[in-house]
Amino acid sequence: ADVIHPGAGGDIIDLTESTSSIDTIHFLGDTNGIDTITGFIVGTDLLNVETMAGGNVAAEASVAANANAGDVATNTFIVFADASNMTTAAGGATDAITTFTGDMTNVAAVLAASFTEAVSENYVVLANDLAGDKAYIYNVTNDATTAAIAASDVTHVATISTTSAIT
């Protein structure tokens, strides 16, 4: 079993092994960079995001496909089963993350529609992209003046290649 602590900046992490064991990746807070992870085995390997979301992830929440996150407590790790099939918290309309990297405008808009957020709340989000065989991790640090999540509040932390949804 390996315990991996990616450093500041972007890292390339290959978890491929000839004999599978439990690998744990411990992400840093806001200085993590964008990590690229391959060889992740769902149900075996682990993600530790405790030092993200303002430094104190205290809860986890799972959001099924065709559902919304609703009112999630600050410092929560939220896993979206299918980022292409999310609904808005207000009216239940279908929404989807379509641009996972680069400009965080689409990610922020979809998360803001799925959450009932407040100023100064922090989250870690894992969004499964089932069509792309990837999962994306975002650190969301909502500012102290506007409740809605903005692109500037979202930091892309990792891209994980995977053949099934991370739950």
Side-chain angles (χ1 to χ4, degrees):
D2 297 316
V3 177
I4 300 156
H5 295 271
D11 298 299
I12 297 173
I13 302 166
D14 185 356
L15 302 176
T16 305
E17 301 167 305
S18 57
T19 303
S20 181
S21 65
I22 300 170
D23 296 318
T24 304
I25 301 172
H26 287 264
F27 291 97
L28 298 172
D30 295 334
T31 62
N32 196 79
I34 302 173
D35 298 329
T36 302
I37 302 166
T38 57
F40 187 90
I41 300 173
V42 175
T44 300
D45 295 329
L46 303 171
L47 303 170
N48 184 318
V49 297
E50 190 162 321
T51 60
M52 295 171 61
N56 186 24
V57 172
E60 295 178 12
S62 296
V63 182
N66 197 26
N68 64 66
D71 192 5
V72 178
T74 191
N75 299 329
T76 298
F77 179 36
I78 306 153
V79 178
F80 286 92
D82 185 358
S84 70
N85 188 6
M86 298 165 63
T87 58
T88 61
T94 301
D95 209 347
I97 296 175
T98 56
T99 305
F100 291 90
T101 62
D103 184 352
M104 292 289 99
T105 302
N106 171 248
V107 173
V110 174
L111 293 179
S114 181
F115 284 49
T116 304
E117 69 269 42
V119 297
S120 301
E121 288 189 325
N122 302 302
Y123 315 97
V124 177
V125 172
L126 185 144
N128 282 292
D129 174 14
L130 303 181
D133 289 334
K134 291 188 176 15
Y136 298 86
I137 298 178
Y138 304 99
N139 197 34
V140 180
T141 306
N142 206 1
D143 67 38
T145 56
T146 306
I149 297 170
S152 59
D153 299 332
V154 180
T155 303
H156 177 203
V157 174
T159 300
I160 304 169
S161 294
T162 179
T163 56
S164 60
I166 296 173
T167 56

